[in-house]
Amino acid sequence: MSNFLDRIKYFFLTIKEKDLQNKLKRSTKRSYTNKTTKQVLSKAADLTLNSETLKRIEDVKNNVSAIVKQTNCAPDALLDYIKVSKTPIYKINNADKILNLIKEEEGLIYEKRGFEALYLSLVTLQGIKFKTGPMFILREGVIDKFYMLHNFYRWYSLKSDLPGFDYETQKNFKKFLFDDIPDSMKSLSMEEIISLKEAIARDQEASKFVLDYTKEIKGSKKVLDKIKNEGGANI
């Protein structure tokens, strides 16, 4: 994902999330339990995260930072890391056009069921399946490092068992992204809304990491240019 597109998506998600926040404020139920934490709503309907969830979020950030530093954020090196962890990677000609038919983008594809799973199982030559696990689908050729990093960060969050990646939540997240005011959102339960907020948070965490990394790269380049121009003096 380009720096510009990442900023747009981050802003877009932040604005749309306000609708979910307003609905939570109208909810009479005040607590919710997911796979990693019991979460409680304050009077302002903000999510109070369990320390375990916060720790996992911080661990993901620190671990991905270490991997990026070790690999210099080379897309092929990140893909090698994914392969070792046994998440399948498929290289397909015209992958963008093929995935567009099910409103997916190249990169990380989450668990699918039904027709979408059947479609993916056929195009990846897995046979006939009506349920598929997480996978990467990409075209052959050069991969943008920032786009790859965004996908890698989400994948690492998924592998770290952070909430927001289950099938139903990601299905709602996909509707949330593609519809301006999806009718299906109006009937979501409090539990579904909070799960959706978790999915939004995971995507925003990935976007923020990429944006911060971009700034760091630019800052490092300025320092190097200064060293070259001034012969290493007065940095």
Side-chain angles (χ1 to χ4, degrees), residues 182-223:
D183 290 336
S184 57
M185 296 296 104
K186 298 175 184 177
S187 60
L188 289 181
S189 67
M190 190 203 76
E191 287 84 352
E192 290 172 321
I193 291 175
I194 292 178
S195 293
L196 181 53
K197 283 171 68 66
E198 292 277 21
I200 293 168
R202 301 294 84 80
D203 204 270
Q204 287 178 326
E205 286 155 13
S207 295
K208 186 176 186 305
F209 186 89
V210 174
L211 292 172
D212 289 344
Y213 179 73
T214 304
K215 292 175 185 175
E216 181 183 327
I217 293 297
K218 287 182 178 178
S220 299
K221 186 177 183 303
K222 287 180 181 178
V223 171

mmCIF file of all heavy atoms in Angstrom, residues 182-223:
data_model
loop_
_atom_site.group_PDB
_atom_site.id
_atom_site.type_symbol
_atom_site.label_atom_id
_atom_site.label_comp_id
_atom_site.label_asym_id
_atom_site.label_seq_id
_atom_site.Cartn_x
_atom_site.Cartn_y
_atom_site.Cartn_z
ATOM 1 N N PRO A 182 -23.976 0.575 5.233
ATOM 2 C CA PRO A 182 -24.579 -0.734 5.003
ATOM 3 C C PRO A 182 -25.766 -1.010 5.932
ATOM 4 O O PRO A 182 -25.673 -0.821 7.135
ATOM 5 C CB PRO A 182 -23.425 -1.702 5.272
ATOM 6 C CG PRO A 182 -22.476 -0.939 6.135
ATOM 7 C CD PRO A 182 -22.616 0.496 5.748
ATOM 8 N N ASP A 183 -26.882 -1.444 5.356
ATOM 9 C CA ASP A 183 -28.073 -1.736 6.143
ATOM 10 C C ASP A 183 -27.802 -2.819 7.177
ATOM 11 O O ASP A 183 -28.364 -2.800 8.273
ATOM 12 C CB ASP A 183 -29.222 -2.180 5.227
ATOM 13 C CG ASP A 183 -29.745 -1.037 4.372
ATOM 14 O OD1 ASP A 183 -29.564 0.131 4.780
ATOM 15 O OD2 ASP A 183 -30.317 -1.309 3.314
ATOM 16 N N SER A 184 -26.929 -3.755 6.826
ATOM 17 C CA SER A 184 -26.636 -4.858 7.742
ATOM 18 C C SER A 184 -25.981 -4.375 9.028
ATOM 19 O O SER A 184 -26.083 -5.018 10.075
ATOM 20 C CB SER A 184 -25.727 -5.892 7.066
ATOM 21 O OG SER A 184 -24.537 -5.277 6.621
ATOM 22 N N MET A 185 -25.310 -3.218 8.982
ATOM 23 C CA MET A 185 -24.661 -2.687 10.177
ATOM 24 C C MET A 185 -25.693 -2.244 11.213
ATOM 25 O O MET A 185 -25.426 -2.253 12.411
ATOM 26 C CB MET A 185 -23.775 -1.489 9.826
ATOM 27 C CG MET A 185 -22.593 -1.782 8.924
ATOM 28 S SD MET A 185 -21.371 -2.897 9.644
ATOM 29 C CE MET A 185 -21.759 -4.428 8.763
ATOM 30 N N LYS A 186 -26.887 -1.842 10.740
ATOM 31 C CA LYS A 186 -27.895 -1.322 11.651
ATOM 32 C C LYS A 186 -28.422 -2.391 12.597
ATOM 33 O O LYS A 186 -28.920 -2.078 13.676
ATOM 34 C CB LYS A 186 -29.045 -0.717 10.846
ATOM 35 C CG LYS A 186 -28.627 0.466 9.975
ATOM 36 C CD LYS A 186 -29.792 0.947 9.118
ATOM 37 C CE LYS A 186 -29.356 2.073 8.179
ATOM 38 N NZ LYS A 186 -30.446 2.503 7.289
ATOM 39 N N SER A 187 -28.336 -3.645 12.183
ATOM 40 C CA SER A 187 -28.887 -4.724 12.995
ATOM 41 C C SER A 187 -27.823 -5.485 13.792
ATOM 42 O O SER A 187 -28.126 -6.484 14.426
ATOM 43 C CB SER A 187 -29.641 -5.708 12.092
ATOM 44 O OG SER A 187 -28.758 -6.270 11.126
ATOM 45 N N LEU A 188 -26.582 -4.996 13.779
ATOM 46 C CA LEU A 188 -25.529 -5.692 14.502
ATOM 47 C C LEU A 188 -25.751 -5.605 16.011
ATOM 48 O O LEU A 188 -26.169 -4.576 16.533
ATOM 49 C CB LEU A 188 -24.159 -5.104 14.166
ATOM 50 C CG LEU A 188 -23.598 -5.365 12.768
ATOM 51 C CD1 LEU A 188 -22.227 -4.729 12.647
ATOM 52 C CD2 LEU A 188 -23.532 -6.845 12.463
ATOM 53 N N SER A 189 -25.433 -6.702 16.688
ATOM 54 C CA SER A 189 -25.502 -6.714 18.145
ATOM 55 C C SER A 189 -24.303 -5.967 18.720
ATOM 56 O O SER A 189 -23.347 -5.654 18.002
ATOM 57 C CB SER A 189 -25.495 -8.153 18.654
ATOM 58 O OG SER A 189 -24.233 -8.757 18.374
ATOM 59 N N MET A 190 -24.337 -5.700 20.019
ATOM 60 C CA MET A 190 -23.213 -5.032 20.653
ATOM 61 C C MET A 190 -21.938 -5.858 20.497
ATOM 62 O O MET A 190 -20.867 -5.321 20.243
ATOM 63 C CB MET A 190 -23.489 -4.777 22.132
ATOM 64 C CG MET A 190 -22.452 -3.870 22.785
ATOM 65 S SD MET A 190 -22.358 -4.057 24.564
ATOM 66 C CE MET A 190 -21.476 -5.603 24.696
ATOM 67 N N GLU A 191 -22.081 -7.190 20.665
ATOM 68 C CA GLU A 191 -20.923 -8.063 20.529
ATOM 69 C C GLU A 191 -20.303 -7.963 19.131
ATOM 70 O O GLU A 191 -19.081 -7.905 18.973
ATOM 71 C CB GLU A 191 -21.313 -9.522 20.812
ATOM 72 C CG GLU A 191 -21.570 -9.825 22.273
ATOM 73 C CD GLU A 191 -22.996 -9.482 22.704
ATOM 74 O OE1 GLU A 191 -23.720 -8.874 21.885
ATOM 75 O OE2 GLU A 191 -23.370 -9.809 23.842
ATOM 76 N N GLU A 192 -21.169 -7.916 18.114
ATOM 77 C CA GLU A 192 -20.685 -7.827 16.733
ATOM 78 C C GLU A 192 -20.038 -6.477 16.461
ATOM 79 O O GLU A 192 -19.037 -6.392 15.735
ATOM 80 C CB GLU A 192 -21.851 -8.069 15.767
ATOM 81 C CG GLU A 192 -22.336 -9.503 15.758
ATOM 82 C CD GLU A 192 -23.612 -9.681 14.959
ATOM 83 O OE1 GLU A 192 -24.495 -8.796 15.021
ATOM 84 O OE2 GLU A 192 -23.746 -10.712 14.272
ATOM 85 N N ILE A 193 -20.593 -5.423 17.029
ATOM 86 C CA ILE A 193 -20.014 -4.094 16.843
ATOM 87 C C ILE A 193 -18.632 -4.018 17.487
ATOM 88 O O ILE A 193 -17.675 -3.498 16.895
ATOM 89 C CB ILE A 193 -20.931 -3.003 17.432
ATOM 90 C CG1 ILE A 193 -22.204 -2.894 16.599
ATOM 91 C CG2 ILE A 193 -20.221 -1.650 17.459
ATOM 92 C CD1 ILE A 193 -23.227 -1.942 17.173
ATOM 93 N N ILE A 194 -18.508 -4.554 18.701
ATOM 94 C CA ILE A 194 -17.209 -4.515 19.373
ATOM 95 C C ILE A 194 -16.189 -5.366 18.618
ATOM 96 O O ILE A 194 -15.026 -4.976 18.477
ATOM 97 C CB ILE A 194 -17.335 -4.984 20.840
ATOM 98 C CG1 ILE A 194 -18.149 -3.958 21.637
ATOM 99 C CG2 ILE A 194 -15.966 -5.160 21.481
ATOM 100 C CD1 ILE A 194 -18.399 -4.318 23.082
ATOM 101 N N SER A 195 -16.626 -6.522 18.105
ATOM 102 C CA SER A 195 -15.718 -7.350 17.308
ATOM 103 C C SER A 195 -15.280 -6.601 16.053
ATOM 104 O O SER A 195 -14.117 -6.676 15.641
ATOM 105 C CB SER A 195 -16.410 -8.670 16.923
ATOM 106 O OG SER A 195 -16.640 -9.470 18.056
ATOM 107 N N LEU A 196 -16.221 -5.862 15.455
ATOM 108 C CA LEU A 196 -15.893 -5.070 14.274
ATOM 109 C C LEU A 196 -14.898 -3.971 14.620
ATOM 110 O O LEU A 196 -13.965 -3.688 13.861
ATOM 111 C CB LEU A 196 -17.171 -4.478 13.682
ATOM 112 C CG LEU A 196 -17.038 -3.619 12.417
ATOM 113 C CD1 LEU A 196 -16.280 -4.368 11.327
ATOM 114 C CD2 LEU A 196 -18.411 -3.207 11.913
ATOM 115 N N LYS A 197 -15.069 -3.356 15.793
ATOM 116 C CA LYS A 197 -14.119 -2.339 16.235
ATOM 117 C C LYS A 197 -12.730 -2.952 16.426
ATOM 118 O O LYS A 197 -11.711 -2.291 16.182
ATOM 119 C CB LYS A 197 -14.605 -1.685 17.536
ATOM 120 C CG LYS A 197 -15.730 -0.670 17.334
ATOM 121 C CD LYS A 197 -16.326 -0.211 18.650
ATOM 122 C CE LYS A 197 -15.325 0.617 19.435
ATOM 123 N NZ LYS A 197 -14.982 1.897 18.789
ATOM 124 N N GLU A 198 -12.688 -4.208 16.862
ATOM 125 C CA GLU A 198 -11.400 -4.900 17.003
ATOM 126 C C GLU A 198 -10.744 -5.064 15.633
ATOM 127 O O GLU A 198 -9.538 -4.838 15.473
ATOM 128 C CB GLU A 198 -11.604 -6.270 17.649
ATOM 129 C CG GLU A 198 -12.039 -6.248 19.093
ATOM 130 C CD GLU A 198 -10.877 -6.089 20.057
ATOM 131 O OE1 GLU A 198 -9.805 -5.611 19.639
ATOM 132 O OE2 GLU A 198 -11.053 -6.438 21.240
ATOM 133 N N ALA A 199 -11.534 -5.465 14.632
ATOM 134 C CA ALA A 199 -11.001 -5.630 13.279
ATOM 135 C C ALA A 199 -10.473 -4.308 12.735
ATOM 136 O O ALA A 199 -9.412 -4.255 12.100
ATOM 137 C CB ALA A 199 -12.086 -6.194 12.356
ATOM 138 N N ILE A 200 -11.212 -3.231 12.982
ATOM 139 C CA ILE A 200 -10.776 -1.899 12.560
ATOM 140 C C ILE A 200 -9.461 -1.542 13.241
ATOM 141 O O ILE A 200 -8.525 -1.030 12.612
ATOM 142 C CB ILE A 200 -11.848 -0.844 12.883
ATOM 143 C CG1 ILE A 200 -13.097 -1.080 12.033
ATOM 144 C CG2 ILE A 200 -11.320 0.572 12.638
ATOM 145 C CD1 ILE A 200 -14.297 -0.269 12.476
ATOM 146 N N ALA A 201 -9.380 -1.836 14.543
ATOM 147 C CA ALA A 201 -8.167 -1.530 15.301
ATOM 148 C C ALA A 201 -6.959 -2.266 14.736
ATOM 149 O O ALA A 201 -5.871 -1.698 14.618
ATOM 150 C CB ALA A 201 -8.361 -1.893 16.771
ATOM 151 N N ARG A 202 -7.141 -3.532 14.371
ATOM 152 C CA ARG A 202 -6.020 -4.304 13.820
ATOM 153 C C ARG A 202 -5.529 -3.689 12.503
ATOM 154 O O ARG A 202 -4.329 -3.610 12.251
ATOM 155 C CB ARG A 202 -6.442 -5.756 13.568
ATOM 156 C CG ARG A 202 -6.938 -6.547 14.756
ATOM 157 C CD ARG A 202 -5.867 -6.808 15.802
ATOM 158 N NE ARG A 202 -5.715 -5.699 16.724
ATOM 159 C CZ ARG A 202 -6.533 -5.483 17.776
ATOM 160 N NH1 ARG A 202 -7.549 -6.281 18.004
ATOM 161 N NH2 ARG A 202 -6.313 -4.456 18.580
ATOM 162 N N ASP A 203 -6.469 -3.256 11.660
ATOM 163 C CA ASP A 203 -6.080 -2.662 10.379
ATOM 164 C C ASP A 203 -5.400 -1.315 10.602
ATOM 165 O O ASP A 203 -4.419 -0.983 9.936
ATOM 166 C CB ASP A 203 -7.304 -2.499 9.485
ATOM 167 C CG ASP A 203 -6.935 -2.451 8.013
ATOM 168 O OD1 ASP A 203 -6.689 -1.341 7.509
ATOM 169 O OD2 ASP A 203 -6.862 -3.516 7.383
ATOM 170 N N GLN A 204 -5.903 -0.547 11.565
ATOM 171 C CA GLN A 204 -5.304 0.759 11.859
ATOM 172 C C GLN A 204 -3.906 0.602 12.464
ATOM 173 O O GLN A 204 -3.013 1.401 12.179
ATOM 174 C CB GLN A 204 -6.207 1.540 12.806
ATOM 175 C CG GLN A 204 -7.469 2.059 12.141
ATOM 176 C CD GLN A 204 -8.380 2.798 13.100
ATOM 177 O OE1 GLN A 204 -8.467 2.450 14.276
ATOM 178 N NE2 GLN A 204 -9.064 3.811 12.612
ATOM 179 N N GLU A 205 -3.729 -0.432 13.288
ATOM 180 C CA GLU A 205 -2.404 -0.693 13.866
ATOM 181 C C GLU A 205 -1.394 -0.992 12.764
ATOM 182 O O GLU A 205 -0.247 -0.516 12.804
ATOM 183 C CB GLU A 205 -2.484 -1.865 14.851
ATOM 184 C CG GLU A 205 -3.166 -1.509 16.158
ATOM 185 C CD GLU A 205 -3.778 -2.699 16.873
ATOM 186 O OE1 GLU A 205 -3.470 -3.852 16.491
ATOM 187 O OE2 GLU A 205 -4.564 -2.488 17.816
ATOM 188 N N ALA A 206 -1.823 -1.770 11.773
ATOM 189 C CA ALA A 206 -0.942 -2.089 10.645
ATOM 190 C C ALA A 206 -0.621 -0.829 9.843
ATOM 191 O O ALA A 206 0.530 -0.589 9.470
ATOM 192 C CB ALA A 206 -1.590 -3.145 9.744
ATOM 193 N N SER A 207 -1.641 -0.012 9.591
ATOM 194 C CA SER A 207 -1.439 1.217 8.819
ATOM 195 C C SER A 207 -0.501 2.170 9.558
ATOM 196 O O SER A 207 0.392 2.770 8.948
ATOM 197 C CB SER A 207 -2.778 1.911 8.561
ATOM 198 O OG SER A 207 -3.601 1.131 7.737
ATOM 199 N N LYS A 208 -0.702 2.309 10.860
ATOM 200 C CA LYS A 208 0.145 3.211 11.646
ATOM 201 C C LYS A 208 1.595 2.732 11.655
ATOM 202 O O LYS A 208 2.531 3.538 11.569
ATOM 203 C CB LYS A 208 -0.379 3.321 13.079
ATOM 204 C CG LYS A 208 0.379 4.360 13.917
ATOM 205 C CD LYS A 208 -0.214 4.512 15.293
ATOM 206 C CE LYS A 208 0.465 5.641 16.056
ATOM 207 N NZ LYS A 208 1.928 5.512 16.142
ATOM 208 N N PHE A 209 1.775 1.410 11.743
ATOM 209 C CA PHE A 209 3.136 0.874 11.734
ATOM 210 C C PHE A 209 3.835 1.212 10.421
ATOM 211 O O PHE A 209 4.999 1.627 10.408
ATOM 212 C CB PHE A 209 3.106 -0.641 11.931
ATOM 213 C CG PHE A 209 4.471 -1.255 12.077
ATOM 214 C CD1 PHE A 209 5.067 -1.373 13.326
ATOM 215 C CD2 PHE A 209 5.172 -1.706 10.964
ATOM 216 C CE1 PHE A 209 6.339 -1.918 13.465
ATOM 217 C CE2 PHE A 209 6.437 -2.251 11.090
ATOM 218 C CZ PHE A 209 7.028 -2.359 12.343
ATOM 219 N N VAL A 210 3.116 1.048 9.307
ATOM 220 C CA VAL A 210 3.695 1.350 7.996
ATOM 221 C C VAL A 210 4.009 2.840 7.878
ATOM 222 O O VAL A 210 5.076 3.224 7.380
ATOM 223 C CB VAL A 210 2.746 0.908 6.863
ATOM 224 C CG1 VAL A 210 3.287 1.360 5.500
ATOM 225 C CG2 VAL A 210 2.565 -0.600 6.869
ATOM 226 N N LEU A 211 3.097 3.682 8.339
ATOM 227 C CA LEU A 211 3.321 5.132 8.270
ATOM 228 C C LEU A 211 4.519 5.544 9.120
ATOM 229 O O LEU A 211 5.344 6.365 8.700
ATOM 230 C CB LEU A 211 2.067 5.874 8.730
ATOM 231 C CG LEU A 211 0.846 5.761 7.808
ATOM 232 C CD1 LEU A 211 -0.375 6.366 8.481
ATOM 233 C CD2 LEU A 211 1.093 6.425 6.469
ATOM 234 N N ASP A 212 4.629 4.966 10.315
ATOM 235 C CA ASP A 212 5.770 5.282 11.187
ATOM 236 C C ASP A 212 7.079 4.798 10.567
ATOM 237 O O ASP A 212 8.109 5.483 10.642
ATOM 238 C CB ASP A 212 5.579 4.630 12.561
ATOM 239 C CG ASP A 212 4.485 5.306 13.372
ATOM 240 O OD1 ASP A 212 4.091 6.430 13.011
ATOM 241 O OD2 ASP A 212 4.028 4.707 14.366
ATOM 242 N N TYR A 213 7.033 3.629 9.942
ATOM 243 C CA TYR A 213 8.234 3.087 9.296
ATOM 244 C C TYR A 213 8.646 3.972 8.118
ATOM 245 O O TYR A 213 9.838 4.224 7.907
ATOM 246 C CB TYR A 213 7.972 1.652 8.821
ATOM 247 C CG TYR A 213 9.152 1.031 8.111
ATOM 248 C CD1 TYR A 213 10.282 0.633 8.825
ATOM 249 C CD2 TYR A 213 9.144 0.845 6.723
ATOM 250 C CE1 TYR A 213 11.366 0.060 8.175
ATOM 251 C CE2 TYR A 213 10.223 0.278 6.085
ATOM 252 C CZ TYR A 213 11.331 -0.116 6.814
ATOM 253 O OH TYR A 213 12.411 -0.666 6.163
ATOM 254 N N THR A 214 7.650 4.456 7.382
ATOM 255 C CA THR A 214 7.932 5.349 6.256
ATOM 256 C C THR A 214 8.634 6.614 6.730
ATOM 257 O O THR A 214 9.615 7.071 6.129
ATOM 258 C CB THR A 214 6.624 5.729 5.529
ATOM 259 O OG1 THR A 214 5.951 4.553 5.117
ATOM 260 C CG2 THR A 214 6.912 6.593 4.311
ATOM 261 N N LYS A 215 8.134 7.191 7.832
ATOM 262 C CA LYS A 215 8.754 8.399 8.396
ATOM 263 C C LYS A 215 10.187 8.105 8.854
ATOM 264 O O LYS A 215 11.085 8.922 8.688
ATOM 265 C CB LYS A 215 7.928 8.906 9.570
ATOM 266 C CG LYS A 215 6.570 9.457 9.176
ATOM 267 C CD LYS A 215 5.765 9.825 10.416
ATOM 268 C CE LYS A 215 4.362 10.264 10.054
ATOM 269 N NZ LYS A 215 3.534 10.522 11.252
ATOM 270 N N GLU A 216 10.366 6.921 9.455
ATOM 271 C CA GLU A 216 11.703 6.541 9.938
ATOM 272 C C GLU A 216 12.689 6.412 8.783
ATOM 273 O O GLU A 216 13.832 6.869 8.873
ATOM 274 C CB GLU A 216 11.608 5.203 10.679
ATOM 275 C CG GLU A 216 12.923 4.716 11.256
ATOM 276 C CD GLU A 216 12.778 3.349 11.902
ATOM 277 O OE1 GLU A 216 11.696 3.063 12.453
ATOM 278 O OE2 GLU A 216 13.737 2.569 11.840
ATOM 279 N N ILE A 217 12.226 5.808 7.684
ATOM 280 C CA ILE A 217 13.078 5.646 6.501
ATOM 281 C C ILE A 217 13.462 7.013 5.940
ATOM 282 O O ILE A 217 14.617 7.264 5.588
ATOM 283 C CB ILE A 217 12.362 4.808 5.421
ATOM 284 C CG1 ILE A 217 12.184 3.366 5.886
ATOM 285 C CG2 ILE A 217 13.133 4.844 4.110
ATOM 286 C CD1 ILE A 217 13.472 2.625 6.121
ATOM 287 N N LYS A 218 12.478 7.900 5.862
ATOM 288 C CA LYS A 218 12.743 9.242 5.327
ATOM 289 C C LYS A 218 13.716 9.994 6.228
ATOM 290 O O LYS A 218 14.605 10.704 5.756
ATOM 291 C CB LYS A 218 11.438 10.018 5.191
ATOM 292 C CG LYS A 218 10.558 9.537 4.043
ATOM 293 C CD LYS A 218 9.303 10.380 3.938
ATOM 294 C CE LYS A 218 8.444 9.926 2.762
ATOM 295 N NZ LYS A 218 7.186 10.702 2.651
ATOM 296 N N GLY A 219 13.537 9.822 7.554
ATOM 297 C CA GLY A 219 14.435 10.479 8.494
ATOM 298 C C GLY A 219 15.845 9.967 8.377
ATOM 299 O O GLY A 219 16.815 10.741 8.404
ATOM 300 N N SER A 220 15.994 8.643 8.206
ATOM 301 C CA SER A 220 17.320 8.041 8.046
ATOM 302 C C SER A 220 17.985 8.525 6.773
ATOM 303 O O SER A 220 19.198 8.783 6.748
ATOM 304 C CB SER A 220 17.195 6.512 8.015
ATOM 305 O OG SER A 220 16.655 6.034 9.218
ATOM 306 N N LYS A 221 17.188 8.683 5.716
ATOM 307 C CA LYS A 221 17.739 9.150 4.440
ATOM 308 C C LYS A 221 18.263 10.581 4.578
ATOM 309 O O LYS A 221 19.321 10.923 4.042
ATOM 310 C CB LYS A 221 16.672 9.087 3.348
ATOM 311 C CG LYS A 221 17.199 9.427 1.962
ATOM 312 C CD LYS A 221 16.123 9.284 0.919
ATOM 313 C CE LYS A 221 16.665 9.540 -0.480
ATOM 314 N NZ LYS A 221 17.298 10.848 -0.632
ATOM 315 N N LYS A 222 17.530 11.410 5.319
ATOM 316 C CA LYS A 222 17.980 12.790 5.522
ATOM 317 C C LYS A 222 19.308 12.835 6.273
ATOM 318 O O LYS A 222 20.189 13.636 5.955
ATOM 319 C CB LYS A 222 16.910 13.568 6.295
ATOM 320 C CG LYS A 222 15.686 13.908 5.473
ATOM 321 C CD LYS A 222 14.686 14.685 6.303
ATOM 322 C CE LYS A 222 13.441 15.015 5.472
ATOM 323 N NZ LYS A 222 12.431 15.746 6.283
ATOM 324 N N VAL A 223 19.445 11.957 7.274
ATOM 325 C CA VAL A 223 20.688 11.900 8.042
ATOM 326 C C VAL A 223 21.840 11.466 7.151
ATOM 327 O O VAL A 223 22.936 12.054 7.175
ATOM 328 C CB VAL A 223 20.552 10.934 9.245
ATOM 329 C CG1 VAL A 223 21.905 10.707 9.906
ATOM 330 C CG2 VAL A 223 19.571 11.496 10.253
#
